[in-house]
Amino acid sequence: MNIREFYVKDGEKPLDRLVPDGGFCRIFRKMAFIGDSLSSGEFESTDENGNLLYHDMYEYAWGAYLGRMCGSEVINFSMDAMTVSEYCETFAESRGYWDKSLAAQCYFIALGVNDVTKVLNGTVPAGSIDDVDLSDPENNKKTFAGYYAQIIGRYKKISPRAKFFLVMSPNEPDLPKDYRPFAEERRKIIKDIADAFENTYVIDLYKYAPDYDAEFKKKYFLGYHMTPSGYVLTAKYMASYVDFIIRQNPADFAEVQYIGTELHHKNAKEIKL
């Protein structure tokens, strides 16, 4: 065995090493997923008249595959067409998703795709990190940035030591031209938010995952949503990316087992790989 295989190598990128078994992502025994249709395992079907029907099938969600890969408990807070404003204003409250009994060790947030319509029509401005009140998340301004950060802030109050992974969507070369400016702005907003919060990391699929181009969609999409294989592939991305983050920052994750408790170890910050 060569232990250096588990070190981050010079020049290594997050998805250079795809882990077959969840890798170090397995340290999380309870994971939560906050997202839209691509996080809820949505599929499309057609009725006898050719009309599209949509189905959230959570057992096929990439978070469910990730949970099974890691042998971890999974809570899925996702639904098709979800936006950050709807999540904060009505959805989470109506489903009881702010309940402390649902506290997790880590949260994956994969929102922003459906928000583009609200930003373009002016219903919810894009905003910036200046809209974020780190001491009181419910005091954030009603912008994409404010709502996105409110989700993190409110879950940090529920699970203060939890880790947060902010997922950026992969690049889509055929994205409508009027969508692209906000797609770029959204990346900056999410990075700024990650920098503002402790224990918060970016999963930048835009930069490191393959493009969702025509060839990719022929293999892994069925209509506007993924096939089961596409959701499995996404789970592999997430596991491998988190594994990379943990190997790169081992001291940050030395006390995952104590999340939700008051326990600490005085040498945790000294751990290195």
Side-chain angles (χ1 to χ4, degrees), residues 27-28 30 103-107 159-163 199 252-253 255-263:
I27 66 175
F28 296 109
K30 189 172 183 180
Q105 291 180 311
C106 71
Y107 294 81
S159 186
R161 297 167 69 182
K163 309 298 181 180
N199 294 318
D252 291 2
F253 297 89
E255 296 191 293
V256 162
Q257 69 276 19
Y258 297 148
I259 293 173
T261 78
E262 298 299 322
L263 299 175

Side-chain angles (χ1 to χ4, degrees), residues 59-154:
E59 68 271 28
Y60 286 96
W62 59 262
Y65 283 116
L66 180 59
R68 290 191 288 268
M69 191 186 303
C70 295
S72 304
E73 182 182 351
V74 164
I75 312 171
N76 200 322
F77 298 151
S78 307
M79 193 178 77
D80 66 292
M82 187 54 55
T83 63
V84 293
S85 56
E86 183 181 355
Y87 195 91
C88 292
E89 294 288 351
T90 59
F91 179 71
E93 185 70 33
S94 69
R95 298 291 183 96
Y97 289 162
W98 302 125
D99 195 304
K100 289 186 177 180
S101 67
L102 299 178
Q105 291 180 311
C106 71
Y107 294 81
F108 289 80
I109 301 179
L111 287 169
V113 171
N114 296 305
D115 297 89
V116 64
T117 301
K118 292 190 174 185
V119 170
L120 290 179
N121 66 24
T123 307
V124 178
S128 71
I129 192 64
D130 295 334
D131 300 333
V132 178
D133 184 339
L134 294 175
S135 62
D136 183 1
E138 294 184 66
N139 193 42
N140 290 358
K141 292 183 180 177
K142 296 182 182 299
T143 64
F144 172 79
Y147 282 122
Y148 195 110
Q150 182 184 148
I151 295 171
I152 300 171
R154 292 183 71 170

Side-chain angles (χ1 to χ4, degrees), residues 6-31:
F6 295 93
Y7 299 173
V8 174
K9 301 175 179 62
D10 290 343
E12 181 182 350
K13 297 180 178 62
L15 297 181
D16 284 350
R17 177 180 180 269
L18 290 183
V19 295
D21 59 356
F24 285 128
C25 193
R26 295 172 67 90
I27 66 175
F28 296 109
R29 308 316 301 146
K30 189 172 183 180
M31 308 175 179

